[in-house]
Every structure is written in structure tokens, then in C-alpha cells.
Amino acid sequence: MCGIVGYIGDREALPVLINGLKRLEYRGYDSAGVAIMGEGTNVYKCKGKVSDLEKHIDGREHSGSIGIGHTRWATHGEPNDVNAHPHVSYHGKFIIIHNGIIENYARLRDKLIERGVKFKSETDTEVLANLIEHIYENGSVDAELAVRLALSKVIGAYGIVVMCTEEKDKLIAARKGSPLVVGVGNEEYFLASDATPIVEYTKSVIYLNDGDVAIIKKEQLNLKTQRSDETGPTVQKLSFDIGEIDKGGYEHFMLKEIFEQPQSIEDTFRGRVSSEESEIRLGGLYDVLPRLIEAKRIIIIGCGTSWHAGLVGEYLFEDIARVSVEVEYASEFRYRNPIIEKDDIIIAISQSGETADTLAAIRQAKEKGAIVLGICNVVGSSIPRETHAGVYTHAGPEIGVASTKAFTCQVTVLAMMAILIGRKKGLISDNKYRSLIKEFTEIPEKIKKILTLSEDIKKLAKLYQNANNALYLGRGYLFPVALEGALKLKEISYIHAEGYPAAEMKHGPIALIDNKMPVVIIATKDSSYEKIVSNIQEVKARSGIVIAVVTEGDTVIRKMADHVIEIPETTNIFAALLSVVPLQLFSYYIAVMRGCNVDQPRNLAKSVTVE
Ligand code: M6R
């Protein structure tokens, strides 16, 4: 959480910083600030969004070609002007932006107070700013060494960028547990929490590793370890374009991303799934394939929507590859003492590749000797770099806080993996394989067809925009879709919603059913169709309102349900890829009608880098 940007070069820093912060606002949006060094040094910060910051700066002095900026998701201290970043040290020599948490900040703060340092904010970041300054003033060291010594005393996670008003030719950046990317321009450098603010200036980037400290001058970058050993930076090329991070004419990123799903699934297929080939190709898994085929158990970990994709994965791997699967919240997995056998494989799923709990769970699993694979979207993020092997989803940048295309691409990758393993194990005949691939590659076209229903779904949303609660039900592959539909509704429209396996309804949730609460039932034709028809009858018998997602041409449920959304037929194993789309649209339109900030829902952030 929190977005950080930095610039050093010949341009005016402010526009670069403001543009960058707008691109990173999805990471946190309760306050924002910038610091710019030119002839003088100016720090501007305020509660609110980047647009509020722009108004705050308007008409004030801001020239300078070195600067840092921050958009905050509050951890220590409420969102207000004082707690906003950048933080300036007591004597004004250091200015710092920070993403992460300094866990031992209270102890460090007390010690600094004992030595006469005064604090203005409640943040852990100001402690770090003052610690650096204290070491700089009392240790007769330069800014770089002061930063490194301060960081050696810190427990916790950080991505920081530091400016020193007495060494105006450089920015000092460091990371441990929070991402930082450096963009390499021509006699200029850009810094950001991810590459989206950088891609419009340069495609050459360096992803900092944990423990790296970068000393960045206009014409040169030195990368060192915290102990000052020089390390050679690896410059990589970004694989996406600026066009992919604009709204592209849509009102919201979320809507754009819902509509991008046919393309993003095609991109996830590219070079991997083809009707001309006799098997699926996943180059990233090549070295671990024998281990995967022999695995006795797969443990899938993730958070939020990625965890829901993992649940679909459980059904896929057990169905197609006949391997036993457990799906765990990363945050629970890491705090247990999980038993990991030598033939187990861990699969970590994460759109951002930066989720703190997922990363911590990966580290724990590796310590226990496990082989850990990643399914991630953001190229070069921490999870792909810390896992033994993996597969990128290629969904393209997902900016809306509510995950949509990342989910369908994660499920696409899981289906590819399950089919690959099933085929390698000899469980899928040539004929079966051909028909599976035919069905799989038709999914993007079928999603396009569902997207043409958006106006009908909007009308439905209008009817239920004022609901206080909603229940989502599904069975088998469609149970995780029920969970995902409920999550989408609650996170962007603030309507309380629960997802349940349809059969579980009788064990509690049925008590909630009345003539006000919509019950969304995903009831496409599969092996449990008859059972779910009975569940619909049970809801109707209690005067419940049923919105059913059904297979095209279903006349049975049409007669019972209050509303039906018809989607194209597909086989069980791909059903989640289609049935989730109308639920995404339903939540989106309800949230818009309720006047909610769809792309930046309250209290949330896209990338949860705190534990
Ligand atoms: O980047 P990750 O996939 O690891 O993120 C996990 C969750 O934070 C994320 O899916 C979250 O639940 C979304 N807001 C859901 O829409």
C-alpha cells in the first residue's frame, strides 16, 4: 500500500511526480504530498486525493528538478495533513517518503525524544527521518551512510526514497519488503512503487531487491547492499505500453478491465494453448514439470480474489489432474505451523506479486524445503522473483482496486496447468484433449457475448441498487464464483454480501431470506444442476428474490426465478470463467448508481503490502 515516486534529471519534477502519483493512487488515496528541491526546497502535502494536492500547490513555488511524492494508505496515524508524506526531519535536513511499516518505531521514537528530538506527526516514517538525521549530525557521516546505518536499526518493511538538503545532487532509495522500481532515462532517473508511472518516460527499469540501497544522481546510479558492497543493477525492458494504463474511453478502470477480459485471456493463451499442438506449453514450469506431475498434494495460497481463483484451481486440479489440493489464505497458512511433505508443491497466486502475507507464506514454505510456484500478473514483482518457477497471467496492468481480469486470467492459468498435468499423467485422451482445447479457446468469444448483456445487467442493477444485503450461491466450480460475486459487491458498493455453497444455505443463511434481499444463484447446467434448481425452489418458497445466472435456453429456471441472466454453454471446468462476468458487471453498475468511487473504494488499496 502507499504509492511512492521520485525524479532526478533536467525536467521540472512536479508534473512527473503528480502524473506518477495519479497512476499510483490505486495503492492508497487518503492523503498525498510532494517535496521538490531546486534553489530552495518545498514540501506540500494534504489530506485527500492527488487532485486535492494539485489544488493545494496551485500558485505556490514548486520549481526544481529533483523531487519525491507519496500517496498514502494510513497505517500509523489517521489520514490528515500532518501525517501525510513526505516527512521532514527535525532540523529539516532529510525529507523522506515511505511505504511499509517500521515495527520498532515506538522504541526508536522514545530514544530520539530522550535525545531532544521533537515530533510533529504520529507516523513511523517521521521516526525514520529523524533517526537518519540524528545519525548524520552526531556520527559525522554522509547522507548515504546515515541512511544505511539507520536502516540497520529498523525492524519492519520499507520502500523509501530520501532527499538530503545538504547533498542536493542525489536521491537515496532503499527497499526491504516493499517494492521499488527505478526507471533509467537519458541522464535522468525515475522511481516508483511499480512501473506504471515510469513507462511513459522509459521502458528500461531496474527492480530493486530486498536489502538494496540505490544512490541516484542525474547521470549515474550506484546500487549497493545495506553493508555497502556494490551490486550490479540488472536493467530489464517493460513489456507494456502507456495505452494499457489509461481508461481508454471508459468511465472507470474497472469497466475497462471487465471488457478487456476476452483480450487478456487471449494474451494469457498466447504461445501456450493451441489446437495445433498436442499439449499446453508453459515455459516457466519446464524445469519443475516432473515434480508437478509426481506431486502428491498441491497447496494453493493467496488472498482475496486470488484465493477465490485458488478455490477454482482446487476443483480443476482434482478433476483433471487427479491430485489432491488444499487452498489456504496466505495469512492463515503463515501463522500456523503447516506440515509440508517433500512431494508437496505450493502455488502462490497474486495479481500484484507484492501481497505481504502471500510473500511471507512463500518464504515460510521455502524455509520448510517446499517447491513454490507463482501465478502472478505484475512482471518483475517480488513473488515471481522469490518463487522457484511460475507462470505470468499476462492480464495487462489492472488498476481498478476490484480485481476482475486478473481473476479470469488466474483461472485460465490454473486450467492450463491442470490440463497440462492431466495430459502428462495420461489421464486425458487425444480426443478429450482436442475437445477441451476447442472449448477453452472459445471462452474469449463467449465472454464477448456476455458483455453484450451489459445494458440488461445495468437495468437489473437499478432494481437492486438500494439493497442492504445480498446472498450469492453456487455449487462445485461455481461456489468460488459465488464468493467472488459477493466480494465484488461488498468492496465497491458497500452492500453487505455473502457467498455460500448453495447446499449450505439450509444450515443458516436461509434464515435471512425475505422479500427484500436479492439471492444471486449461479445455476448453469452442470452435474449439480438438479440440486441447484431445488435450492432455487427453496428460496422462492420463502418469498426470496432470485437472480439466476443460467445457461442459454434454460426454460426451467426462467419459470422460477425473478430474473435470469443467460450465458453461453460451456463445460463444467470453464464455467467460472463465464459466470463471473455478469456478476462483475452487476456489482459495477450498482456501485456507480450508489455514487461510490468504483476504482478506489474506501479503506481499500490495490496492493496490500502490510501484514
Ligand atoms: O495482488 P493480490 O492478488 O495478491 O491481491 C490479493 C487481494 O488483495 C485482492 O484480490 C483483493 O481482494 C481485491 N480487492 C479483490 O477485488
Side-chain angles (χ1 to χ4, degrees):
M1 0 266 286
C2 300
I4 63 186
V5 289
Y7 176 74
I8 183 163
D10 287 327
R11 300 171 199 248
E12 275 301 306
L14 185 70
V16 179
L17 300 177
I18 293 290
N19 271 349
L21 290 180
K22 284 185 177 165
R23 299 224 182 274
L24 290 180
E25 213 168 14
Y26 70 87
R27 300 177 69 92
Y29 31 82
D30 57 42
S31 52
V34 291
I36 296 162
M37 279 197 309
E39 298 274 291
T41 303
N42 293 296
V43 180
Y44 300 112
K45 53 185 190 168
C46 62
K47 182 180 173 182
K49 305 218 167 218
V50 179
S51 53
D52 297 306
L53 176 67
E54 281 184 287
K55 286 181 209 137
H56 177 66
I57 298 174
D58 196 22
R60 300 179 190 218
E61 168 54 31
H62 54 68
S63 63
S65 53
I66 305 181
I68 55 179
H70 188 273
T71 175
R72 181 169 185 244
W73 186 88
T75 56
H76 294 68
E78 64 167 288
N80 60 26
D81 295 356
V82 178
N83 288 334
H85 298 216
H87 286 281
V88 182
S89 59
Y90 183 41
H91 293 131
K93 292 179 186 159
F94 287 87
I95 306 166
I96 171 172
I97 50 173
H98 167 222
N99 171 24
I101 291 181
I102 310 296
E103 289 168 15
N104 58 338
Y105 85 103
R107 213 161 48 85
L108 294 170
R109 185 182 161 110
D110 289 347
K111 282 194 177 164
L112 288 165
I113 289 172
E114 272 169 29
R115 289 170 196 174
V117 176
K118 295 214 165 45
F119 284 83
K120 296 182 272 285
S121 78
E122 301 154 86
T123 65
D124 52 344
T125 307
E126 193 188 6
V127 175
L128 186 52
N130 281 331
L131 181 62
I132 294 169
E133 186 179 76
H134 186 73
I135 293 170
Y136 177 81
E137 287 181 338
N138 295 288
S140 302
V141 294
D142 63 7
E144 177 198 328
L145 187 52
V147 170
R148 267 194 282 110
L149 290 173
L151 291 179
S152 70
K153 298 187 187 307
V154 151
I155 300 169
Y158 52 80
I160 56 164
V161 188
V162 182
M163 298 197 311
C164 175
T165 53
E166 294 186 342
E167 295 181 28
K168 283 186 155 190
D169 59 338
K170 64 177 76 90
L171 292 173
I172 302 168
R175 79 157 267 180
K176 185 180 157 218
S178 296
L180 259 185
V181 188
V182 181
V184 184
N186 187 12
E187 299 224 329
E188 61 180 351
Y189 289 93
F190 305 83
L191 272 152
S193 302
D194 69 36
T196 52
I198 294 174
V199 68
E200 64 187 284
Y201 306 106
T202 174
K203 287 202 154 190
S204 302
V205 293
I206 300 162
Y207 294 97
L208 296 196
N209 288 314
D210 270 355
D212 280 353
V213 178
I215 299 91
I216 307 169
K217 297 185 176 173
K218 195 181 105 176
E219 61 296 324
Q220 159 196 343
L221 175 144
N222 283 323
L223 199 57
K224 298 184 179 176
T225 64
Q226 213 170 299
R227 287 169 38 200
S228 192
D229 304 324
E230 297 264 352
T231 59
T234 311
V235 179
Q236 300 184 31
K237 288 282 170 210
L238 292 174
S239 57
F240 64 94
D241 289 312
I242 182 74
E244 291 180 58
I245 51 175
D246 285 334
K247 283 191 198 148
Y250 286 88
E251 203 184 334
H252 296 99
F253 280 111
M254 182 181 176
L255 189 62
K256 177 185 175 229
E257 287 156 9
I258 292 172
F259 274 80
E260 277 174 345
Q261 290 178 106
Q263 187 57 49
S264 53
I265 293 176
E266 293 280 9
D267 291 343
T268 304
F269 282 157
R270 187 156 305 117
R272 296 161 164 178
V273 180
S274 150
S275 49
E276 271 99 67
E277 302 286 342
S278 60
E279 63 179 34
I280 285 173
R281 292 176 191 279
L282 292 173
L285 297 183
Y286 187 78
D287 290 341
V288 293
L289 205 47
R291 294 288 300 269
L292 252 178
I293 295 162
E294 280 159 24
K296 298 274 182 297
R297 182 173 66 146
I298 291 175
I299 303 172
I300 301 179
I301 53 174
C303 301
T305 289
S306 295
W307 182 76
H308 295 159
L311 289 177
V312 181
E314 178 176 24
Y315 288 89
L316 286 165
F317 283 118
E318 294 192 350
D319 230 7
I320 306 171
R322 303 301 300 140
V323 53
S324 141
V325 178
E326 281 169 31
V327 188
E328 302 259 9
Y329 283 116
S331 53
E332 287 299 315
F333 180 80
R334 61 175 290 206
Y335 290 115
R336 296 202 331 260
N337 188 8
I339 295 162
I340 298 170
E341 308 285 355
K342 76 173 177 21
D343 293 327
D344 290 345
I345 298 270
I346 313 285
I347 302 178
I349 306 179
S350 172
Q351 187 286 130
S352 62
E354 300 292 351
T355 299
D357 282 320
T358 310
L359 259 171
I362 289 168
R363 289 176 189 146
Q364 192 194 45
K366 279 169 74 182
E367 267 166 31
K368 287 177 181 278
I371 296 281
V372 185
L373 312 181
I375 298 178
C376 289
N377 193 39
V378 178
V379 176
S381 56
S382 300
I383 292 177
R385 286 183 301 135
E386 293 209 17
T387 42
H388 294 106
V391 183
Y392 280 116
T393 45
H394 297 318
E398 190 182 67
I399 311 288
V401 164
S403 192
T404 52
K405 62 178 181 171
F407 173 79
T408 42
C409 289
Q410 288 164 346
V411 173
T412 300
V413 167
L414 289 160
M416 292 196 291
M417 287 175 73
I419 296 171
L420 174 64
I421 301 169
R423 184 84 172 137
K424 288 276 184 202
K425 281 180 159 179
L427 301 170
I428 304 174
S429 68
D430 288 351
N431 275 346
K432 172 83 179 154
Y433 180 75
R434 268 194 298 277
S435 74
L436 271 180
I437 296 301
K438 180 172 179 300
E439 190 62 46
F440 204 7
T441 49
E442 283 171 2
I443 291 293
E445 277 309 308
K446 291 183 178 177
I447 294 181
K448 279 186 195 161
K449 202 167 173 199
I450 297 170
L451 293 170
T452 64
L453 303 176
S454 67
E455 280 305 311
D456 296 337
I457 295 171
K458 192 175 183 176
K459 285 182 195 143
L460 193 58
K462 196 157 193 259
L463 297 177
Y464 296 103
Q465 60 177 301
N466 295 319
N468 291 323
N469 298 289
L471 186 62
Y472 284 70
L473 302 174
R475 281 173 178 261
Y477 283 98
L478 304 176
F479 159 54
V481 176
L483 294 176
E484 177 60 9
L487 177 62
K488 288 292 86 89
L489 188 68
K490 64 187 140 193
E491 71 179 329
I492 60 168
S493 73
Y494 319 140
I495 293 175
H496 171 245
E498 295 296 336
Y500 264 90
E504 274 295 303
M505 179 184 69
K506 291 195 277 291
H507 302 282
I510 199 163
L512 296 171
I513 288 170
D514 61 14
N515 59 4
K516 293 189 189 62
M517 178 182 71
V519 183
V520 180
I521 306 187
I522 308 119
T524 51
K525 285 212 170 115
D526 66 8
S527 52
S528 49
Y529 177 75
E530 306 299 333
K531 302 277 178 212
I532 206 135
V533 168
S534 307
N535 297 137
I536 293 175
Q537 274 163 339
E538 286 153 12
V539 176
K540 285 311 302 171
R542 285 154 186 88
S543 308
I545 304 165
V546 172
I547 301 171
V549 177
V550 300
T551 306
E552 270 170 357
D554 186 321
T555 50
V556 177
I557 296 180
R558 181 170 281 282
K559 285 188 200 129
M560 299 174 203
D562 298 82
H563 312 278
V564 292
I565 302 170
E566 291 195 13
I567 63 171
E569 186 166 5
T570 187
T571 152
N572 253 2
I573 63 173
F574 304 128
L577 291 169
L578 299 188
S579 54
V580 75
V581 178
L583 307 188
Q584 296 167 343
L585 286 168
F586 184 63
S587 304
Y588 169 78
Y589 287 120
I590 287 192
V592 171
M593 286 167 195
R594 289 166 70 94
C596 300
N597 188 339
V598 172
D599 285 333
Q600 295 170 352
R602 69 183 178 209
N603 304 338
L604 285 171
K606 182 77 181 158
S607 184
V608 184
T609 55
V610 295
E611 299 173 0

